[in-house]
Amino acid sequence: MNTPTVLVTAATGTIGSALVPALRARGVTVRAMTRDPGHVVAGAETVVADLQDPESVAAALKGVDAAFLNSPSAPDAASLQIQFADLARDAGVNRLVLLSQYAARADSPVRFLRWHAEVEAHVQKLGLDHTVLRPNLYLQALLAFAGPIAQGWFAAPIGDAAVSAIDTRDIADTAAAVLTGTGHAGHTYTLTGPRAVTHHEIADALAAATGRDVTFHDTSADQFTAALTGLLPPWQLDGLIEDYAHYARGEAAEVHTSVTDLTGRPARDLTDFARDHATAFAPAANAD
């Protein structure tokens, strides 16, 4: 029997870079898709393709048995993912694993959740063997706050709400299990960490891991917007504010066991993330 080939989109991103070795460990051939012609993904067949270029995507899909779909953040992300799913069907791909988002639904006040729900609904109509993964807030998103955390603080408009945030390495391990296992067709799995944590608890975990004081400051949506204006495009910043309002309303605190159910081991805890990434939150060498 030939070794199955799995295409990983966004293969050099946070999840993709963890998914490639997770798939290789399961004995499959990995085709890593990247937009950067100068980037070679170790241990994989690297293909250069862009979701904006359907011809390049169609070429990347030739001979693929299964595909993992994760698109870069973009205002047309939903249409790009729908186009990819259509191309995967046309290429005869046997299995599609779609990365969605916790609580995706068509009537959500959060635009990103509406977009994901639109893609999910389209894929369901294609007749493909497909599985949907809906991860909660990424713990690795904290790396975007590394600068202020190294100075001893970070802020967000979330109050004391708890979120069952997940380590992206667990998303990758779960995706690998679903891409290579059986019995997942038509299933939607919500992926979370082992507990819901507040941002104050996150600050405490980072402080313990780094040996430095770290404090979380609740802030208003307006102040958060002002701090990020110019750093993110308006559509992305507006969507991020909607995300945080969703968290602040306590709508992302449920804990699910899918990571354990699918991988056979517990989901990584906040303390695991903090320990493993402590150096990322250290002050610059020339700083006091």
Side-chain angles (χ1 to χ4, degrees):
M1 180 180 291
N2 293 331
T3 303
T5 298
V6 178
L7 176 69
V8 176
T9 64
T12 60
T14 304
I15 295 172
S17 59
L19 177 56
V20 169
L23 286 168
R24 290 191 64 225
R26 288 174 175 267
V28 301
T29 299
V30 181
R31 184 176 295 175
M33 182 173 137
T34 175
R35 292 178 293 180
D36 181 1
H39 197 127
V40 176
V41 178
E45 173 196 350
T46 305
V47 294
V48 178
D50 191 323
L51 293 180
Q52 298 275 4
D53 179 2
E55 289 188 6
S56 69
V57 172
L61 284 164
K62 285 183 180 177
V64 165
D65 299 290
F68 176 73
L69 176 54
N70 174 23
S71 73
S73 184
D76 57 348
S79 62
L80 292 176
Q81 291 186 66
I82 286 170
Q83 177 177 262
F84 180 97
D86 289 344
L87 291 168
R89 175 202 57 197
D90 296 345
V93 173
N94 296 322
R95 178 176 302 176
L96 178 66
V97 175
L98 172 65
L99 189 71
S100 184
Q101 188 174 342
Y102 181 104
R105 68 177 202 268
D107 63 346
S108 174
V110 182
R111 69 192 67 192
F112 299 146
L113 299 184
R114 295 195 301 271
W115 295 357
H116 282 298
E118 180 185 356
V119 179
E120 288 185 21
H122 181 82
V123 169
Q124 192 167 4
K125 298 174 184 176
L126 294 181
L128 276 174
D129 174 335
H130 73 280
T131 305
V132 176
L133 303 181
R134 290 181 174 176
N136 207 346
L137 174 67
Y138 300 170
L139 285 170
Q140 275 74 2
L142 290 164
L143 296 171
F145 296 95
I149 289 172
Q151 299 174 38
W153 66 277
F154 68 112
I158 194 171
D160 295 325
V163 180
S164 53
I166 184 170
D167 192 301
T168 55
R169 294 172 293 181
D170 287 333
I171 302 172
D173 289 346
T174 302
V178 172
L179 283 160
T180 59
T182 58
H184 306 297
H187 287 265
T188 297
Y189 298 113
T190 297
L191 309 182
T192 72
R195 60 187 172 118
V197 295
T198 68
H199 275 48
H200 294 289
E201 290 172 320
I202 290 172
D204 290 343
L206 293 173
T210 61
R212 299 173 63 91
D213 290 338
V214 179
T215 304
F216 170 70
H217 302 292
D218 185 37
T219 187
S220 70
D222 288 343
Q223 290 172 319
F224 195 66
T225 298
L228 294 176
T229 296
L231 300 177
L232 296 175
W235 67 267
Q236 192 171 24
L237 180 52
D238 290 345
L240 184 62
I241 294 299
E242 292 169 0
D243 267 340
Y244 270 103
H246 162 65
Y247 303 142
R249 290 191 296 267
E251 297 171 352
E254 286 188 1
V255 174
H256 293 249
T257 62
S258 297
V259 171
T260 299
D261 297 341
L262 295 168
T263 68
R265 57 157 185 78
R268 292 173 175 86
D269 189 69
L270 164 64
T271 54
D272 299 317
F273 166 84
R275 180 194 65 239
D276 294 345
H277 294 81
T279 57
F281 301 106
N286 61 350
D288 291 334

